[in-house]
Amino acid sequence: MPASPVTYTFLGPEGTFTEAALMQVPDAAQATRIPASNVNAALDKVRDGSADAAMVPIENSVEGGVTATLDAIATGQELRIIREVLVPISFVLVARPGVAVSDIRRISTHGHAWAQCRLWVENNIPGAEYVPGSSTAASAVGLLEQDAHYDAAICAPIVAQEQPGLSVLAENIGDNPGAVTRFVLVSRPGVLPERTGADKTTVVVPLPEDRPGALMEILDQFATRGVNLSRIESRPTGQYLGHYFFSIDADGHVGDARVADALAGLHRISPATRFLGSYGRADAQTAYIAPHTSDEAFKAAHEWVGAILQGEPIAESVSGASPTA
């Protein structure tokens, strides 16, 4: 990342949860911020150099992975995740002044927001039709246009506060009060973030061939090295039916011996594996590391093999007993 000036892009328009996530980045308030109409547009600005980094949603605690982001960063010019941000999610129902809940027939919002408020809508506005929106903020702002083809929108509270032409009809309408969305800051490849001791590594692994045990071979690269997976999702490559890649979050940094060794194993199995970044966890939660998978254990093991190859005397066993014939 350049020192200054810095230009960020994010899934817009202004007032989205994505902008709220971006504002958690230390220098974002002073940086140039450019809203993008969709995830692909935001990432393309990074790829063509018109932005230094993009903030995009990647996972929701209710709906799981954000497929638009998972697919966009898995293909095309290579990108790197350099930071993650967690944002608690709450929603309000807004409409133009004078519109009552009983008047609502069509509601617009982003697909993930709709999924998180669907039960509330069914219970309070039965029969309401969902109109897909590019973002929660775009749906809310769209209500102010004369040709709006829906009656209400679901958005973040900040949008309603900043748009005087909107009236809040209901607050805290999410079906899951503890919902959280995970966002990632994505840049072009460069120097990796330093290890923090509480890190996450994201990779995309194409299934090399569809056969019994193929996925198990991928998972074994992590399991045998003591690397925990916090997320794994399959996504179609689009090439043909039954052809998938796996988007994986692993606990640890590529600078950790156990993670580096697992990634090397993945590459042997699936040479098209794409490394998307190692970065600090937003929750600062450290991973459990078994003694035999620590950096020290890997170093000692490599030194032991090196001594064998060099014909040097082999060190005594852990018990202290010398090997016997």
Side-chain angles (χ1 to χ4, degrees):
M1 292 291 294
S4 67
V6 177
T7 298
Y8 292 113
T9 185
F10 63 94
L11 177 61
E14 295 178 352
T16 59
F17 291 110
T18 313
E19 185 181 27
L22 177 59
M23 295 307 292
Q24 292 191 38
V25 177
D27 63 345
Q30 293 76 40
T32 300
R33 300 186 300 278
I34 305 173
S37 58
N38 55 62
V39 169
N40 277 306
L43 297 182
D44 284 345
K45 288 182 183 298
V46 177
R47 287 181 168 122
D48 66 22
S50 56
D52 298 303
M55 184 68 78
V56 292
I58 194 170
E59 184 182 10
N60 178 266
S61 61
V62 177
E63 282 294 287
V66 178
T67 57
T69 300
L70 296 178
D71 295 346
I73 62 177
T75 58
Q77 184 180 331
E78 203 169 348
L79 294 169
R80 290 283 186 273
I81 298 172
I82 58 174
R83 178 188 291 268
E84 71 171 10
V85 175
L86 303 179
V87 177
I89 303 298
S90 63
F91 299 101
V92 296
L93 179 71
V94 298
R96 292 183 294 273
V99 175
V101 171
S102 58
D103 300 325
I104 297 174
R105 298 293 179 269
R106 311 183 83 209
I107 302 174
S108 180
T109 192
H110 188 272
H112 274 249
W114 179 255
Q116 295 179 67
C117 301
R118 186 165 45 214
L119 294 179
W120 185 94
V121 173
E122 290 177 359
N123 291 329
N124 294 272
I125 317 175
E129 179 184 351
Y130 166 53
V131 178
S134 61
S135 71
T136 56
S139 293
V141 173
L143 280 172
L144 303 177
E145 300 175 0
Q146 291 187 350
D147 59 346
H149 56 289
Y150 48 91
D151 311 304
I154 294 172
C155 64
I158 190 174
V159 177
Q161 296 168 9
E162 295 179 349
Q163 298 293 334
L166 296 176
S167 176
V168 177
L169 301 182
E171 298 179 320
N172 298 317
I173 65 173
D175 301 327
N176 297 271
V180 174
T181 293
R182 173 179 164 230
F183 298 83
V184 290
L185 189 65
V186 182
S187 70
R188 293 179 293 279
V191 178
L192 296 178
E194 294 289 335
R195 286 196 288 178
T196 68
D199 302 293
K200 184 178 294 184
T201 293
T202 301
V203 292
V204 170
V205 186
L207 191 65
E209 55 181 324
D210 187 13
R211 59 173 174 76
L215 176 58
M216 183 61 70
E217 284 187 2
I218 291 173
L219 299 179
D220 278 347
Q221 303 309 309
F222 297 103
T224 58
R225 295 165 177 86
V227 179
N228 182 59
L229 303 184
S230 57
R231 182 185 61 84
I232 177 169
E233 298 183 60
S234 63
R235 293 292 303 152
T237 63
Q239 296 180 11
Y240 53 85
L241 190 64
H243 195 240
Y244 290 86
F245 68 80
F246 293 92
S247 179
I248 298 172
D249 288 337
D251 290 347
H253 192 283
V254 68
D256 300 333
R258 71 188 191 285
V259 177
D261 210 50
L263 296 190
L266 282 180
H267 191 268
R268 291 196 304 272
I269 294 172
S270 180
T273 294
R274 173 172 288 202
F275 172 77
L276 290 180
S278 288
Y279 46 93
R281 292 178 59 113
D283 59 9
Q285 182 177 335
T286 57
Y288 167 74
I289 304 174
H292 69 281
T293 64
S294 66
D295 283 7
E296 293 76 14
F298 272 90
K299 180 181 178 182
H302 286 304
E303 290 176 349
W304 179 74
V305 172
I308 293 174
L309 294 174
Q310 294 296 322
E312 298 175 0
I314 305 301
E316 292 182 348
S317 66
V318 175
S319 65
S322 299
T324 56

